[in-house]
Coordinates of all heavy atoms in Angstrom, one line a residue:
V19 N 132.9 221.8 101.0 CA 134.3 221.8 101.0 C 134.9 222.9 101.9 O 134.2 223.7 102.4 CB 134.8 222.2 99.5 CG1 134.4 221.2 98.5 CG2 134.3 223.6 99.1
R20 N 136.2 222.8 102.1 CA 137.0 223.8 102.7 C 138.0 224.2 101.7 O 138.6 223.4 101.0 CB 137.7 223.3 104.0 CG 136.8 223.2 105.1 CD 137.5 222.5 106.3 NE 136.6 222.6 107.5 CZ 136.7 221.9 108.6 NH1 137.6 220.9 108.6 NH2 135.9 222.1 109.6
H21 N 138.2 225.5 101.5 CA 139.2 225.9 100.5 C 140.0 227.1 100.9 O 140.8 227.7 100.1 CB 138.5 226.2 99.1 CG 137.5 227.2 99.1 ND1 137.8 228.6 98.9 CD2 136.2 227.2 99.3 CE1 136.7 229.3 98.9 NE2 135.7 228.5 99.2
L22 N 139.8 227.5 102.2 CA 140.6 228.6 102.7 C 141.1 228.2 104.1 O 140.5 227.4 104.8 CB 139.8 229.9 102.9 CG 139.2 230.5 101.7 CD1 138.2 231.6 102.1 CD2 140.2 231.1 100.8
S23 N 142.3 228.7 104.5 CA 142.8 228.3 105.8 C 141.8 228.8 106.9 O 141.7 228.2 108.0 CB 144.2 229.0 106.0 OG 144.2 230.3 105.8
L24 N 141.1 229.9 106.6 CA 140.1 230.4 107.5 C 139.0 229.3 107.9 O 138.6 229.2 109.0 CB 139.3 231.5 106.8 CG 138.2 232.2 107.5 CD1 138.7 233.2 108.5 CD2 137.3 232.9 106.5
H25 N 138.7 228.5 106.9 CA 137.7 227.4 107.1 C 138.2 226.4 108.1 O 137.4 225.8 108.9 CB 137.3 226.7 105.8 CG 136.7 227.6 104.8 ND1 136.9 227.4 103.4 CD2 136.0 228.7 104.9 CE1 136.3 228.4 102.8 NE2 135.7 229.2 103.7
Y26 N 139.5 226.2 108.1 CA 140.1 225.2 109.1 C 140.2 225.9 110.5 O 139.8 225.2 111.5 CB 141.5 224.8 108.6 CG 141.5 224.0 107.4 CD1 141.5 224.6 106.1 CD2 141.4 222.6 107.4 CE1 141.5 223.9 105.0 CE2 141.4 221.9 106.3 CZ 141.4 222.5 105.0 OH 141.4 221.8 103.9
A27 N 140.5 227.1 110.5 CA 140.7 227.9 111.7 C 139.3 227.9 112.4 O 139.2 227.8 113.6 CB 141.2 229.3 111.5
Q28 N 138.2 228.2 111.6 CA 136.9 228.3 112.2 C 136.1 227.0 112.2 O 134.9 227.0 112.5 CB 136.1 229.4 111.4 CG 136.8 230.7 111.5 CD 136.0 231.9 110.9 OE1 135.0 231.6 110.2 NE2 136.3 233.1 111.2
K29 N 136.8 225.9 111.8 CA 136.1 224.6 111.7 C 134.8 224.7 111.0 O 133.8 224.1 111.4 CB 136.0 224.0 113.1 CG 137.3 223.7 113.8 CD 137.0 223.1 115.2 CE 138.2 222.4 115.8 NZ 139.4 223.3 115.9
E30 N 134.8 225.4 109.9 CA 133.5 225.5 109.1 C 133.7 224.9 107.7 O 134.8 224.8 107.2 CB 133.0 226.9 109.1 CG 133.9 227.8 108.2 CD 133.3 229.2 108.0 OE1 132.2 229.4 108.6 OE2 133.9 230.0 107.3
W31 N 132.6 224.6 107.2 CA 132.5 224.1 105.8 C 131.7 225.1 105.0 O 130.7 225.7 105.5 CB 131.8 222.7 105.7 CG 132.6 221.6 106.4 CD1 132.5 221.3 107.7 CD2 133.6 220.8 105.8 NE1 133.4 220.2 108.0 CE2 134.1 219.9 106.8 CE3 134.2 220.7 104.5 CZ2 135.1 219.0 106.6 CZ3 135.2 219.7 104.3 CH2 135.6 218.9 105.3
V32 N 131.9 225.2 103.7 CA 131.1 226.0 102.8 C 130.5 225.0 101.7 O 131.0 224.0 101.5 CB 131.8 227.1 102.2 CG1 132.3 228.1 103.2 CG2 133.0 226.7 101.3
F33 N 129.4 225.5 101.2 CA 128.8 224.7 100.1 C 128.9 225.5 98.8 O 128.6 226.7 98.7 CB 127.3 224.5 100.4 CG 127.0 223.6 101.5 CD1 126.9 224.0 102.8 CD2 127.0 222.2 101.3 CE1 126.7 223.1 103.9 CE2 126.8 221.3 102.3 CZ 126.7 221.7 103.6
L34 N 129.4 224.8 97.8 CA 129.7 225.4 96.5 C 129.0 224.7 95.4 O 128.8 223.5 95.4 CB 131.2 225.4 96.2 CG 132.1 226.2 97.1 CD1 133.6 226.1 96.6 CD2 131.7 227.7 97.2
C35 N 128.7 225.5 94.3 CA 128.1 224.8 93.1 C 129.3 224.3 92.3 O 130.5 224.5 92.6 CB 127.3 225.9 92.3 SG 128.4 227.1 91.6
D36 N 129.0 223.6 91.3 CA 130.0 222.9 90.4 C 131.0 224.0 89.9 O 132.2 223.7 89.9 CB 129.2 222.3 89.2 CG 129.9 221.1 88.7 OD1 130.8 220.6 89.4 OD2 129.5 220.6 87.6
D37 N 130.4 225.1 89.4 CA 131.3 226.1 88.7 C 132.3 226.7 89.7 O 133.5 226.8 89.4 CB 130.5 227.2 88.2 CG 129.7 226.8 86.9 OD1 130.1 225.8 86.4 OD2 128.8 227.5 86.5
C38 N 131.8 227.0 90.9 CA 132.7 227.6 91.9 C 133.7 226.6 92.4 O 134.8 227.0 92.7 CB 131.9 228.2 93.1 SG 130.9 229.6 92.5
L39 N 133.3 225.4 92.5 CA 134.2 224.3 92.9 C 135.4 224.3 92.0 O 136.5 224.2 92.4 CB 133.5 223.0 92.9 CG 134.3 221.8 93.4 CD1 134.5 221.8 94.9 CD2 133.7 220.5 92.9
N40 N 135.1 224.3 90.7 CA 136.2 224.3 89.7 C 137.0 225.5 89.7 O 138.2 225.5 89.2 CB 135.6 224.1 88.3 CG 135.1 222.7 88.2 OD1 135.6 221.7 88.7 ND2 134.0 222.5 87.4
E41 N 136.5 226.6 90.3 CA 137.3 227.8 90.4 C 138.3 227.8 91.6 O 139.4 228.3 91.5 CB 136.4 229.0 90.6 CG 136.1 229.8 89.4 CD 135.1 231.0 89.7 OE1 135.4 231.7 90.7 OE2 134.2 231.2 88.9
V42 N 137.8 227.2 92.7 CA 138.6 227.3 93.9 C 139.6 226.1 94.1 O 140.5 226.1 94.8 CB 137.8 227.4 95.2 CG1 136.9 228.6 95.1 CG2 137.0 226.1 95.5
K43 N 139.2 225.0 93.3 CA 140.0 223.8 93.5 C 141.4 223.7 93.0 O 142.3 223.2 93.6 CB 139.1 222.6 92.9 CG 139.6 221.2 93.3 CD 138.6 220.2 92.7 CE 139.1 218.8 92.9 NZ 138.1 217.9 92.4
P44 N 141.6 224.2 91.7 CA 142.9 224.0 91.1 C 144.1 224.6 92.0 O 144.0 225.7 92.4 CB 142.8 224.7 89.8 CG 141.4 224.8 89.5 CD 140.7 224.9 90.9
N45 N 145.1 223.8 92.2 CA 146.4 224.2 92.9 C 146.1 224.8 94.2 O 146.8 225.7 94.6 CB 147.1 225.2 92.0 CG 147.4 224.7 90.6 OD1 147.9 223.5 90.5 ND2 147.2 225.5 89.6
N46 N 145.1 224.3 94.9 CA 144.7 224.9 96.2 C 145.1 223.9 97.3 O 144.4 222.8 97.4 CB 143.2 225.2 96.2 CG 142.8 225.9 97.5 OD1 143.5 225.9 98.5 ND2 141.6 226.5 97.4
S47 N 146.1 224.2 98.0 CA 146.6 223.2 99.1 C 145.6 223.2 100.2 O 145.7 222.3 101.1 CB 148.0 223.6 99.5 OG 148.0 224.9 100.0
S48 N 144.7 224.2 100.3 CA 143.8 224.2 101.4 C 142.5 223.5 101.1 O 141.6 223.4 101.9 CB 143.4 225.7 101.8 OG 144.5 226.4 102.3
Y49 N 142.4 223.0 99.8 CA 141.2 222.4 99.4 C 140.9 221.1 100.1 O 141.8 220.2 100.1 CB 141.2 222.2 97.9 CG 140.0 221.4 97.4 CD1 138.7 222.1 97.2 CD2 140.0 220.1 97.1 CE1 137.6 221.4 96.8 CE2 138.9 219.4 96.7 CZ 137.7 220.0 96.5 OH 136.6 219.3 96.1
K50 N 139.7 220.9 100.6 CA 139.4 219.6 101.2 C 137.9 219.3 100.9 O 137.0 220.2 101.1 CB 139.6 219.6 102.7 CG 139.4 218.2 103.3 CD 139.8 218.2 104.7 CE 139.6 216.7 105.2 NZ 140.2 216.6 106.6
Y51 N 137.7 218.1 100.4 CA 136.3 217.7 100.0 C 135.6 217.1 101.2 O 136.2 216.2 101.9 CB 136.4 216.8 98.8 CG 135.1 216.2 98.4 CD1 134.1 216.9 97.8 CD2 134.8 214.8 98.7 CE1 132.9 216.3 97.4 CE2 133.6 214.2 98.3 CZ 132.7 215.0 97.6 OH 131.5 214.4 97.3
G52 N 134.4 217.5 101.5 CA 133.7 216.9 102.7 C 132.4 216.3 102.4 O 131.7 215.9 103.3
G53 N 132.2 216.0 101.1 CA 130.9 215.3 100.7 C 130.1 216.1 99.8 O 130.3 217.3 99.5
T54 N 129.1 215.4 99.2 CA 128.1 216.1 98.3 C 126.7 216.1 98.9 O 126.3 215.1 99.4 CB 128.2 215.3 97.0 OG1 129.5 215.3 96.5 CG2 127.2 216.0 95.9
W55 N 126.1 217.2 98.8 CA 124.7 217.4 99.3 C 123.8 217.4 98.1 O 124.0 218.2 97.1 CB 124.6 218.6 100.1 CG 123.2 218.9 100.6 CD1 122.7 218.5 101.8 CD2 122.2 219.7 100.0 NE1 121.4 218.9 101.9 CE2 121.1 219.6 100.8 CE3 122.1 220.3 98.7 CZ2 119.9 220.3 100.5 CZ3 121.0 220.9 98.4 CH2 119.8 220.9 99.2
K56 N 122.7 216.6 98.1 CA 121.8 216.6 97.0 C 120.4 216.9 97.6 O 120.0 216.5 98.6 CB 121.7 215.3 96.3 CG 122.9 215.1 95.3 CD 122.7 213.8 94.6 CE 123.5 213.6 93.4 NZ 124.9 213.8 93.3
A57 N 119.7 217.8 96.8 CA 118.3 218.2 97.2 C 117.4 216.9 97.2 O 117.6 216.1 96.4 CB 117.8 219.2 96.3

Side-chain angles (χ1 to χ4, degrees):
V19 300
R20 284 173 169 159
H21 61 88
L22 298 171
S23 54
L24 178 81
H25 298 149
Y26 293 87
Q28 300 189 344
K29 294 183 165 55
E30 70 171 2
W31 294 90
V32 296
F33 289 92
L34 296 180
C35 70
D36 210 12
D37 289 345
C38 293
L39 181 76
N40 288 326
E41 263 180 44
V42 303
K43 190 174 174 180
N45 305 315
N46 187 344
S47 57
S48 295
Y49 175 80
K50 185 172 185 171
Y51 174 74
T54 303
W55 178 91
K56 280 184 167 49

